[in-house]
Amino acid sequence: MDTFNQSHAKHPLMDLDAFDLDRLPEPLIDEGILRRGVALPLRQRGNRLFAAVADPDGLKALDDLQQSVGLVVEPVLVEADKLKTVMENLRQSRRAEGRGAALGGSLEEFGSGVLSVEPEADEADDTLDASGANDAPVVRFVNQVLLDAADGGVSDIHFEPFETAYRIRFRTDGLLAEVANPPRRLGSRLAARLKVMAELDIAERRVPQDGRIKIRLSKSRTLDLRVNTLPTLWGEKVVLRILDPASASLGLDALGFETGQKALFTEALARPEGMILVTGPTGSGKTVTLYTALNRLNTPERNIATAEDPVEINLTGINQVNVNPKVGLDFAAALRAFLRQDPDVLMVGEIRDLTTAEIAVKAAQTGHLVLSTLHTNSAAETLTRMRNIGVPAFNLATSVGLIIAQRLARRLCEECKTPFAATPDALLEQGFSAEMIDHGGPLFQASAQGCPACRKGYKGRIGIFEVVKITPSIASLVMDGGSSLQLAEEARRQGFMDLRTACLAKVAEGRTSLVEANRITGAGHGG
């Protein structure tokens, strides 16, 4: 147990492992108490409530609890890590019980006339609350699903109808898992509720629709959700992509760049002109990388404009445009307009055709910094893809300054990761360099069972990057019509780390596992 100073000596100490958690005063433990995670009610005696705390000097937290329960709160000192684990377990248990109650009880009683199509409440008062007594059961259930997703670090929520079943799945750390099975007959009403929240046409079920939902989790935290509906054989499937505005302000250090890669990116962002391309498959973290860069560039001295499909994270101070090809506002049209708006920095959501590519290249050559994305697998393939689109090799070589290819790897849980032994020969066969083997620390793998703090041994994700600066020799190879294999070899010769090497570096640092590295890069066989 931590060493307590003298001011703590007057408070009793207790080992939470020795306390029977079944005797907790459940009626006094609400969602707000569990969310704050600072003080846990243990036992009530008359008008006194004994509460487990890790730091009794947090007077505000104790005052809040006292006001919440209307009792005199007396602190009992416990270990911080044990308190955190108990609180998290209680929250997960409550959420599971909440889902079961909604599915088994109130949702079964949901009537056809309960759900009304009404505009959402004013944004300032739209605090997400899953326990509102006056809400319809489906409204409460949807709110509960969104709260679970927000608390669980979920990136996507899938509402899926089938012939005889309905399921809800969460994508967490890149992997989908089923979390609920509401009655099949309620599928249309769940879809209707989500469409009302996203201000979509609930009567239109024949074509896909796109919308947005903004929810307030607390006074200081909001989440944006991108909503897409898709007509399927058995009803409308609805997918929500959770976009956390806070992710854009984490900074370059939080993304996972190696030291040299971060320096290259920072140098490219500091230039007044040129093109930075971020590439990778859907869900590889390109959006967060771009928004992090824009957030770094966002100063009063710069005029920044973005064309996106759709705008995913709202950044104050940046002029963001949703492209709409149906009315003629595609990426190319938006770029043309931007160039007449005295821009300094331009961001194009994706380069899809020659017209957009040509305008972006022209902008990069005429004193503008241009950021954009492509769906390619590596930096070398990005250059050949641009050439295949129709961009002349000379323009490509003189406009593109930096290419970033990226993936997202699941991060090993620091609480339960276990050592992993392998011979140097086996590691060399997997692609580790001799330097990684000699100077790296012990290797780790995910715990088979995981722990209360993680999911099957992993918690969160970290970026894996290939960052290639277009040097004179690479530019010369581009103009000579070099293949992607030749370009990749030249990049390696100049010391630029490819995705496989970058991923193995994270393994050597103990931040991810060899199994995960092989899953992402498709090379070798993990142990």
Side-chain angles (χ1 to χ4, degrees):
M1 180 169 292
D2 295 334
T3 302
F4 295 103
N5 60 37
Q6 252 187 343
S7 66
H8 295 175
K10 62 181 180 180
H11 300 293
L13 310 179
M14 187 184 75
D15 184 357
L16 267 182
D17 289 340
F19 186 80
D20 183 3
L21 297 179
D22 290 335
R23 300 176 63 186
L24 290 174
E26 291 284 342
L28 297 179
I29 306 174
D30 61 22
E31 181 65 22
I33 289 174
L34 294 179
R35 188 181 297 279
R36 286 189 290 272
V38 177
L40 175 66
L42 294 174
R43 184 174 300 172
Q44 179 183 355
R45 288 182 182 172
N47 68 340
R48 292 189 301 164
L49 176 67
F50 295 91
V53 296
D55 181 8
D57 291 336
L59 298 179
K60 186 178 186 307
L62 295 176
D63 287 344
D64 289 346
L65 177 60
Q66 187 159 300
Q67 292 179 11
S68 174
V69 299
L71 300 170
V72 177
V73 175
E74 297 192 11
V76 177
L77 295 179
V78 299
E79 292 174 82
D81 56 344
K82 292 183 180 180
L83 177 62
K84 178 181 177 182
T85 298
V86 169
M87 299 284 263
E88 182 61 30
N89 288 343
L90 282 172
R91 289 181 69 186
Q92 293 179 2
S93 175
R94 288 281 183 90
R95 292 295 159 79
E97 291 172 1
R99 277 198 296 267
L103 294 173
S106 58
L107 268 182
E108 287 291 348
E109 300 161 4
F110 180 75
S112 60
V114 177
L115 185 63
S116 60
V117 182
E118 297 176 354
E120 286 297 287
D122 182 76
E123 199 173 279
D125 299 323
D126 192 20
T127 301
L128 196 60
D129 181 5
S131 60
N134 297 321
D135 291 342
V138 159
V139 173
R140 292 201 303 272
F141 176 72
V142 169
N143 284 357
Q144 185 66 63
V145 170
L146 298 183
L147 277 169
D148 285 353
D151 286 343
V154 172
S155 62
D156 300 88
I157 311 170
H158 293 241
F159 292 81
E160 302 173 302
F162 299 99
E163 182 178 10
T164 59
Y166 193 95
R167 74 179 177 188
I168 298 174
R169 292 190 292 172
F170 287 171
R171 186 179 295 279
T172 308
D173 296 340
L175 301 180
L176 277 169
E178 190 171 298
V179 296
N181 297 100
R184 168 68 185 87
R185 62 185 177 82
L186 297 177
S188 61
R189 294 170 187 166
L190 291 171
R193 171 58 186 165
L194 293 167
K195 289 165 74 174
V196 168
M197 295 177 73
E199 299 183 354
L200 300 178
D201 182 358
I202 67 167
E204 179 56 77
R205 302 177 182 176
R206 300 164 298 174
V207 297
Q209 296 186 65
D210 290 290
R212 299 176 68 87
I213 298 173
K214 190 179 188 71
I215 58 176
R216 187 172 296 279
L217 299 175
S218 66
K219 293 296 182 183
S220 59
R221 186 186 176 201
T222 62
L223 284 183
D224 291 325
L225 296 95
R226 189 179 73 197
V227 183
N228 177 266
T229 69
L230 177 70
T232 70
L233 188 60
W234 304 109
E236 286 184 288
K237 173 176 178 176
V238 185
V239 176
L240 283 65
R241 165 67 59 88
I242 297 179
L243 309 164
D244 190 348
S247 63
S249 58
L250 294 177
L252 295 181
D253 291 332
L255 296 181
F257 286 105
E258 300 297 322
T259 303
Q261 295 178 332
K262 178 188 171 186
L264 288 172
F265 194 20
T266 303
E267 176 189 325
L269 290 174
R271 294 184 59 189
E273 76 287 316
M275 184 181 294
I276 300 173
L277 296 174
V278 182
T279 78
T282 300
S284 60
K286 299 188 299 296
T287 297
V288 171
T289 299
L290 279 177
Y291 276 103
T292 300
L294 289 174
N295 199 58
R296 183 184 182 93
L297 294 168
N298 188 12
T299 64
E301 295 78 23
R302 290 190 179 96
N303 178 21
I304 304 176
T306 74
E308 305 170 64
D309 184 20
V311 172
E312 298 199 359
I313 298 175
N314 179 34
L315 292 178
T316 301
I318 293 178
N319 306 287
Q320 296 172 275
V321 174
N322 267 324
V323 300
N324 186 356
K326 291 181 181 178
V327 299
L329 182 59
D330 55 15
F331 284 121
L335 266 178
R336 288 191 190 96
F338 290 165
L339 291 174
R340 295 190 289 270
Q341 292 264 319
D342 185 32
D344 296 299
V345 179
L346 302 175
M347 195 272 271
V348 188
E350 183 183 351
I351 294 178
R352 300 174 179 172
D353 53 56
L354 177 57
T355 303
T356 305
E358 285 180 333
I359 300 171
V361 165
K362 178 182 177 182
Q365 292 174 326
T366 55
H368 307 91
L369 182 62
V370 180
L371 288 73
S372 190
T373 71
L374 278 89
H375 286 93
T376 58
N377 292 321
S378 66
E381 290 178 34
T382 301
L383 291 167
T384 55
R385 169 70 184 281
M386 289 284 281
R387 205 165 54 202
N388 292 338
I389 286 176
V391 179
F394 176 79
N395 287 342
L396 187 60
T398 57
S399 62
V400 178
L402 191 78
I403 301 176
I404 299 172
Q406 69 178 85
R407 302 290 188 276
L408 288 175
R410 289 182 294 169
R411 191 193 297 263
L412 283 171
C413 174
E414 294 296 329
E415 302 293 331
C416 67
K417 65 182 183 182
T418 58
F420 166 66
T423 65
D425 288 343
L427 295 178
L428 287 171
E429 185 179 339
Q430 288 286 339
F432 285 85
S433 67
E435 184 180 2
M436 287 182 191
I437 297 173
D438 293 339
H439 297 97
L443 303 184
F444 292 90
Q445 63 186 354
S447 167
Q449 301 300 323
C451 70
C454 69
R455 291 175 178 80
K456 298 182 180 179
Y458 296 96
K459 184 177 183 181
R461 289 191 287 179
I462 189 170
I464 308 295
F465 298 92
E466 174 187 17
V467 181
V468 176
K469 179 181 179 180
I470 307 305
T471 61
S473 61
I474 293 178
S476 177
L477 192 55
V478 170
M479 288 189 285
D480 289 342
S483 67
S484 59
L485 290 176
Q486 292 172 313
L487 289 165
E489 179 58 36
E490 179 62 23
R492 280 194 294 272
R493 192 185 69 78
Q494 295 194 32
F496 297 120
M497 193 178 289
D498 61 20
L499 283 168
R500 175 67 178 174
T501 306
C503 205
L504 293 179
K506 293 291 191 297
V507 176
E509 294 167 4
R511 301 167 82 176
T512 191
S513 69
L514 185 55
V515 170
E516 183 69 359
N518 290 334
R519 182 181 76 85
I520 290 171
T521 60
H525 303 282

